[in-house]
Amino acid sequence: MEFIRHALDGVVEIRPRLVPDSRGSFFESFRRSAFEAEGLIADFVQTNRSRSHAAGTVRGLHYQLAPSAQGKLVSVIRGAVFDVAVDLRRSSPTFGKHVAVTLTAASGAELHIPPGFAHGFCTLEPDTEVLYAVTSYYAPERERAIFWADPALGIDWPTPPDGARLSDKDLRAPMLADAADLF
């Protein structure tokens, strides 16, 4: 595995070593000892899976408040996404900044996102499936969101705001400046 650190502390892209053969390929998507050697959270308690039918579907930017804040390990098992992590730690020098990477099923690359970040993605292909492991159980009373297209975040999404498919909850999410509950 190759661990690629991004500008935001704790956000790391993991690129697996693909082992191809005549049948296809094999790779390790998680090895606790390798993650711990890199100082990354490796104590996952739940896995979640989403399927989005249309390209241009946006899910996010979601997070959970402490004590249920979630670290995530995000991977794509079918299709491709533009994946985003936004630093919501008020004391961080990178507060409000983001990292965006393209994750595809073909590459097997993953994104490690520590607690204190909002996470979201935009599907780049139809019938995309995302699998992510989390470090805390889902707690609906602690769930929050930031508006995905907040201009203050400066995210260059691959779909325009009027072309994105969103849930009602994500359409009503506040801008970062109006979010009362952060880290």
Side-chain angles (χ1 to χ4, degrees), residues 42-126:
D43 188 20
F44 301 108
V45 299
Q46 178 179 321
T47 57
N48 303 314
R49 185 171 169 172
S50 71
R51 176 183 291 164
S52 300
H53 298 298
T57 298
V58 174
R59 294 178 185 261
L61 298 160
H62 304 149
Y63 61 102
Q64 286 192 175
L65 298 173
S68 301
Q70 294 177 325
K72 295 180 178 179
L73 181 61
V74 183
S75 60
V76 175
I77 55 176
R78 182 177 181 181
V81 299
F82 176 82
D83 203 65
V84 177
V86 178
D87 190 348
L88 297 182
R89 302 168 298 172
R90 289 189 190 276
S91 63
S92 170
T94 56
F95 174 76
K97 305 290 184 202
H98 73 278
V99 165
V101 299
T102 297
L103 300 176
T104 69
S107 76
E110 301 171 299
L111 192 63
H112 175 274
I113 305 167
F117 286 75
H119 170 251
F121 61 84
C122 176
T123 59
L124 302 174
E125 297 179 10

